[in-house]
Amino acid sequence: MDRGRIVGLGIESTAHTFGASVMTEKGAILSNVKDVYRPPAGSGIHPRDASRHHSEVAPSVIKRALSEAGVSFGDLSFVAYSAGPGLGPCLKVGATLARFISSYYRKPIIPVHHGVGHVELGMLLTGAVDPLVVLISGGHTMLLARAGKRWRVFGETLDITLGQLIDQFGRAIGLPSPAGPLVEDLAKKGRRYVSLPYIVKGNDLSYSGIISEVKRIIKKESPEDLAFSVQETAFSMLAETSERALALLKKSEVMVVGGVAANTRLREMLDAASSRHGAQLKVVPPAYAGDCGAQIAWVGHLYFLNGVYTKPENAWVDQSWRIDEVDLAWS
Amino acid sequence: MELISKGAEADIYKGRWAGLDAIYKVRASKPYMISELDERLRRERTVREARMMLAARQVVPTPFIFYVGNSIIVMEDVGRRRLKEELGNKPTEARILGEYLGRLHSVGIMHGDPNTSNVIFNESSNRWYIIDFGLSLHTRRFEDFATDVHLVNEVFIVQHQEVYEEAFRSFLDGYSSVTENAGLIVEKVKEIERRGRYARRRSFIF
């Protein structure tokens, strides 16, 4: 198999994860190394502590990504980094490193939108062509579809994201972040559904009511039943809004990407919701669901192949970069 | 009965009721939801929709209700001509949605799902009707009214992009013409859109 000749480096550092990946222009993932910052149980991610973690692990993660891929800095055609959205101090670690590599080794530099990374890597790995995208991660809960040179938003959370809901719930019952897999295990042991606010407004949804209600009744209910009820309520809301978008857009594929895509119960619900509208569900493989360097490296290639890149002095970060403002250079 | 459309929330059938043309709105069970939640939502929304349609009738045209069951509403068939298809040629028609939403807000009703698919022209009475009150509620909070306006903005950006400016201006004109506190509510809309995830440069025009 022709694995391709152009190699690019992608650096991811928006939140918990510091990741680096080397990929070819044909989409072969030559390496994908990551190191995840884990705050103490019961507390959230502190941007300063996370960025300190990233600065400490960055050199070894990047070195390993290169050596596993069997390339040196000189072989790279470009370096891409996550420019937003995310936590400012964390973003700066990746951007600063990318700028250093770019100027020292004289390589083009490419700022990449983190969410576009999740979506485009998903397109590559699932083979989806024109899907309704369900993007669910720490930073995003959005329904998207491609419209011309943009990913357009068809529905989103009005307040916190699904990832934040699960992490905040996890913290409230004393679990470490990211809490996704632990909450999923607890939920499997839940037996009784506790009624929680179910808030769908048009194609948008709101999760903040769930966390307030959970905090109010936390002493009265078991963690298992609460985990079960939080998942059932939050996932049903997402499945319903996905159905609304499907009924509107008539897409034949639904693609799920982002860290929460790893949840089995959510996949099951989205699968059933999709088939009600004759659409096929495609889910990003679990190994690439969470934040990783490959999502950045791949979008780097999409820009590079279309001649879009810049110089190190133009590197920037934008903590609140919206996905529907990103100009896509590829079709 | 003939299935007309399969929505996310309900299936719509065309049929007859006591010799009249009728629409059957059926909230079918969702196989992926646990039954407690599924039943709660279907029951709540059906009852709410029927009540709110009745309440709304005092200020806007809504279909006449023939029958309400556990998860089914049978109502007058007002036709198929949706505002959605008209806006492309005549963006100023969006004014009617603004007027209707404003009148609902004036009597303390938030629609909850205002969009151009939910406004239907009835040929026999020569009037626009507004439908789909499953997510509506009685409220006096500006925040809720502003959410309605925000949802319209979102729908226009997504579905009526080519005529967005003219259509949304017409909507706001209609809305302001009947709503006492339109200015304050619009301010609240901006606040909601600023609060949204990374909503900094969302294209809300004024």
Side-chain angles (χ1 to χ4, degrees):
Chain A
M1 183 190 132
D2 178 10
R3 301 219 299 172
R5 294 171 295 108
I6 303 172
V7 289
L9 172 67
I11 299 173
E12 157 61 30
S13 72
T14 50
H16 293 97
T17 304
F18 187 86
S21 165
V22 176
M23 287 182 73
T24 72
E25 87 281 13
K26 296 269 168 76
I29 302 171
L30 304 183
S31 66
N32 189 39
V33 182
K34 62 166 103 170
D35 193 314
V36 181
Y37 166 68
R38 303 205 180 270
S43 68
I45 177 170
H46 192 292
R48 193 192 52 224
D49 296 340
S51 67
R52 191 176 302 146
H53 160 269
H54 292 352
S55 319
E56 281 163 15
V57 303
S60 67
V61 169
I62 290 176
K63 255 186 241 158
R64 266 178 57 207
L66 291 173
S67 66
E68 282 180 22
V71 300
S72 66
F73 282 115
D75 300 326
L76 296 174
S77 292
F78 64 82
V79 52
Y81 68 99
S82 51
L87 306 170
C90 298
L91 289 170
K92 277 181 198 138
V93 176
T96 309
L97 271 159
R99 180 156 32 187
F100 161 73
I101 296 167
S102 167
S103 47
Y104 192 83
Y105 295 97
R106 296 176 194 284
K107 304 292 179 187
I109 190 167
I110 304 174
V112 170
H113 185 282
H114 176 81
V116 170
H118 276 301
V119 176
E120 295 294 344
L121 185 66
M123 298 287 279
L124 172 73
L125 298 176
T126 65
V129 179
D130 181 24
L132 169 72
V133 179
V134 182
L135 169 58
I136 33 177
S137 62
H140 293 90
T141 297
M142 278 182 168
L143 302 171
L144 304 159
R146 182 75 187 248
K149 292 287 178 192
R150 298 271 171 109
W151 281 106
R152 193 178 292 167
V153 179
F154 283 80
E156 64 182 308
T157 177
L158 290 165
D159 39 62
I160 59 173
T161 66
L162 183 51
Q164 286 169 328
L165 168 68
I166 289 174
D167 278 346
Q168 287 183 19
F169 168 69
R171 282 211 296 284
I173 57 169
L175 298 176
S177 300
L182 297 167
V183 170
E184 187 178 1
D185 285 343
L186 266 186
K188 283 180 191 147
K189 295 179 206 133
R191 290 287 166 268
R192 203 173 65 82
Y193 177 71
V194 183
S195 194
L196 294 172
Y198 184 104
I199 304 168
V200 168
K201 297 178 179 180
N203 293 337
D204 293 342
L205 39 80
S206 156
Y207 285 134
S208 60
I210 296 184
I211 199 74
S212 321
E213 178 65 8
V214 163
K215 284 179 179 161
R216 204 178 63 79
I217 58 174
I218 201 158
K219 292 211 172 76
K220 285 188 281 180
E221 308 288 344
S222 75
E224 289 82 5
D225 287 344
L226 282 176
F228 171 67
S229 308
V230 166
Q231 282 203 169
E232 289 301 322
T233 311
F235 295 172
S236 294
M237 285 163 59
L238 187 65
E240 183 186 341
T241 45
S242 303
E243 272 202 67
R244 294 174 69 95
L246 269 180
L248 178 77
L249 299 167
K250 317 269 183 230
K251 299 282 184 194
S252 59
E253 301 166 311
V254 176
M255 182 179 81
V256 192
V257 294
V260 194
N263 187 296
T264 316
R265 176 62 180 137
L266 178 62
R267 286 208 301 261
E268 192 180 289
M269 284 166 105
L270 289 174
D271 192 32
S274 306
S275 59
R276 272 167 64 90
H277 297 266
Q280 198 195 346
L281 186 75
K282 299 189 164 173
V283 186
V284 67
Y288 299 99
D291 296 352
C292 65
Q295 72 192 82
I296 307 302
W298 179 236
V299 176
H301 274 293
L302 293 174
Y303 279 120
F304 188 73
L305 292 172
N306 286 284
V308 180
Y309 41 81
T310 185
K311 292 185 200 133
E313 54 270 32
N314 297 331
W316 47 273
V317 298
D318 184 344
Q319 292 182 55
S320 45
W321 194 10
R322 262 188 79 88
I323 197 167
D324 50 6
E325 294 173 340
V326 182
D327 287 312
L328 311 170
W330 55 94
S331 51
Chain B
M1 282 196 301
E2 180 196 341
L3 179 69
I4 302 176
S5 84
K6 201 172 166 62
E9 225 243 307
D11 298 333
I12 307 295
Y13 297 89
K14 174 185 154 59
R16 305 275 294 170
W17 181 268
L20 298 165
D21 282 333
I23 290 293
Y24 285 67
K25 179 164 186 174
V26 183
R27 289 187 162 83
S29 163
K30 295 210 171 144
Y32 56 82
M33 279 193 199
I34 55 166
S35 57
E36 294 98 313
L37 188 54
D38 186 44
E39 278 159 25
R40 175 184 119 197
L41 291 174
R42 287 161 64 205
R43 197 180 49 240
E44 272 178 15
R45 287 174 175 180
T46 302
V47 171
R48 173 179 303 170
E49 174 154 38
R51 275 199 200 132
M52 299 307 288
M53 274 173 81
L54 275 174
R57 271 181 87 84
Q58 43 171 327
V59 286
V60 292
T62 64
F64 195 84
I65 294 175
F66 298 146
Y67 171 80
V68 183
N70 211 355
S71 55
I72 180 172
I73 298 179
V74 186
M75 65 187 101
E76 177 189 3
D77 186 351
V78 293
R80 306 282 172 277
R81 216 177 109 192
R82 304 187 297 180
L83 183 58
K84 188 182 178 186
E85 282 79 27
E86 314 267 315
L87 276 201
N89 296 326
K90 227 180 153 203
T92 51
E93 290 276 5
R95 185 183 171 88
I96 195 73
L97 176 57
E99 270 185 45
Y100 283 7
L101 207 58
R103 285 197 228 159
L104 290 170
H105 291 178
S106 302
V107 295
I109 296 174
M110 174 201 183
H111 184 277
D113 191 16
N115 61 55
T116 48
S117 306
N118 287 339
V119 181
I120 295 184
F121 192 73
N122 180 239
E123 309 282 349
S124 60
S125 65
N126 207 28
R127 284 194 305 174
W128 289 98
Y129 278 61
I130 182 161
I131 59 166
D132 222 343
F133 286 80
L135 300 177
S136 65
L137 46 99
H138 281 298
T139 175
R140 289 284 169 191
R141 294 171 63 220
F142 283 6
E143 169 97 22
D144 293 328
F145 301 141
T147 299
D148 261 354
V149 175
H150 158 71
L151 292 172
V152 171
N153 185 40
E154 213 170 47
V155 166
F156 279 27
I157 290 174
V158 165
Q159 293 183 40
H160 303 291
Q161 200 195 16
E162 312 72 35
V163 296
Y164 172 78
E165 289 221 0
E166 200 181 354
F168 197 69
R169 267 183 214 291
S170 302
F171 164 81
L172 280 179
D173 284 348
Y175 185 73
S176 308
S177 72
V178 295
T179 317
E180 208 179 316
N181 294 306
L184 291 171
I185 291 167
V186 161
E187 277 310 305
K188 204 84 185 161
V189 176
K190 291 185 190 167
E191 197 185 306
I192 290 174
E193 306 206 336
R194 273 197 301 271
R195 222 165 36 212
R197 306 290 305 168
Y198 320 125
R200 207 166 17 110
R201 284 168 298 205
R202 199 76 173 271
S203 52
F204 195 89
I205 56 145
F206 287 99

